[in-house]
Amino acid sequence: MTEALISLTDVDLKLGSGANAVHVLKSVSLDIARGESVGVVGPSGSGKTTLLMVLSGLERPDSGSVNVAGATLNAMGEDAVAAFRGQNIGIVFQSFHLIPNMTALENVAVPLELAGERNAFEKAEAELAAVGLQHRLTHYPGQLSGGEQQRVAIARALAPDPKILIADEPTGNLDGATGHAVSELLFAKQRERGMTFVLVTHDEGLASECTRQLAVDSGEVEERTDYSRAAE
């Protein structure tokens, strides 16, 4: 049996309080194997992004267990979770989240410097070259196209050599051709490095490129076996 790198057991989460509380995740149990690529689909507000937040330790569940790479995240303090995430989980967001007053090189070097990497800038330069941006090292985010900014974000996520890559609507702010190029880059890097890849997307065609699909609806997660819809 393939080893589970991510394991959720009876995870429950409500956001808000009292009459305004929203039951975002409902008794979610889920295993994701090492090296697997998983596409997460579902309507807006269904809990897809919250699921990623829980997987990465950015959100703590009310109950249940979140085990990632041998660590039980919900039993750890915030500082310990942040350090663990920095070493094991790379995250790519829809809106890039680059630091505007830092160059592409400096943005990619940040997580490496935080991790105490001696050759942070050398490694950052290599990661930018690996995503085709060796000619953009000294450019600031405002001087880059949307596709280039997302490539910088991908290089930053990959720089610490994480076991897990998480992407939340990574092509959502990009045009079709640019989004396709970015998605191809993500899958290529996942295969090249053997990472576990969890992708939230509204694009069912993109989700179908993953080895497995999950459907989230009203806080419940189900295995998706209907791939025919994604191919239509």
Side-chain angles (χ1 to χ4, degrees):
M1 182 178 292
T2 306
E3 176 188 358
L5 190 64
I6 300 170
S7 185
L8 272 60
T9 306
D10 292 327
V11 165
D12 218 75
L13 175 62
K14 290 182 180 179
L15 296 179
S17 59
N20 296 319
V22 178
H23 207 165
V24 185
L25 296 177
K26 302 174 182 176
S27 301
V28 174
S29 292
L30 170 68
D31 286 338
I32 298 176
R34 186 180 297 274
E36 192 170 27
S37 60
V38 180
V40 182
V41 298
S44 296
S46 61
K48 302 188 302 297
T49 293
T50 304
L51 179 64
L52 289 195
M53 298 280 279
V54 168
L55 290 180
S56 59
L58 289 168
E59 191 74 60
R60 193 179 296 268
D62 298 322
S63 61
S65 176
V66 180
N67 191 283
V68 179
T72 303
L73 299 190
N74 54 301
M76 299 163 63
E78 289 186 12
D79 289 347
V81 170
F84 175 86
R85 184 169 51 246
Q87 294 175 348
N88 294 279
I89 303 172
I91 306 176
V92 178
F93 299 96
Q94 178 177 345
S95 299
F96 319 137
H97 290 305
L98 300 177
I99 301 169
N101 61 346
M102 286 189 174
T103 65
L105 183 63
E106 290 168 338
N107 266 281
V108 177
V110 165
L112 297 170
E113 290 184 303
L114 290 174
E117 174 71 46
R118 288 186 177 183
N119 301 314
F121 282 87
E122 287 181 25
K123 191 165 184 180
E125 184 173 347
E127 290 292 353
L128 284 166
V131 299
L133 290 180
Q134 60 268 30
H135 61 300
R136 294 294 212 184
L137 302 180
T138 60
H139 287 69
Y140 292 91
Q143 298 172 311
L144 303 173
S145 69
E148 288 172 332
Q149 289 185 64
Q150 193 60 297
R151 285 174 179 266
V152 174
I154 291 169
R156 180 182 60 189
L158 296 177
D161 198 21
K163 296 181 178 70
I164 300 163
L165 179 63
I166 288 176
D168 187 9
E169 298 282 10
T171 62
N173 283 345
L174 306 174
D175 63 63
T178 304
H180 178 73
V182 164
S183 65
E184 288 298 302
L185 175 63
L186 284 166
F187 280 107
K189 293 301 176 185
Q190 185 258 337
R191 291 189 296 267
E192 177 185 307
R193 303 188 185 204
M195 295 178 293
T196 299
F197 183 31
V198 185
L199 166 70
V200 158
T201 180
H202 66 278
D203 183 340
E204 295 207 12
L206 180 57
S208 71
E209 295 185 37
C210 297
T211 56
R212 180 180 168 200
Q213 284 186 335
L214 300 174
V216 183
D217 195 5
S218 300
E220 297 182 345
V221 180
E222 294 184 355
E223 197 77 26
R224 178 87 174 271
T225 57
D226 177 15
Y227 289 90
S228 60
R229 285 176 54 195
E232 290 176 357

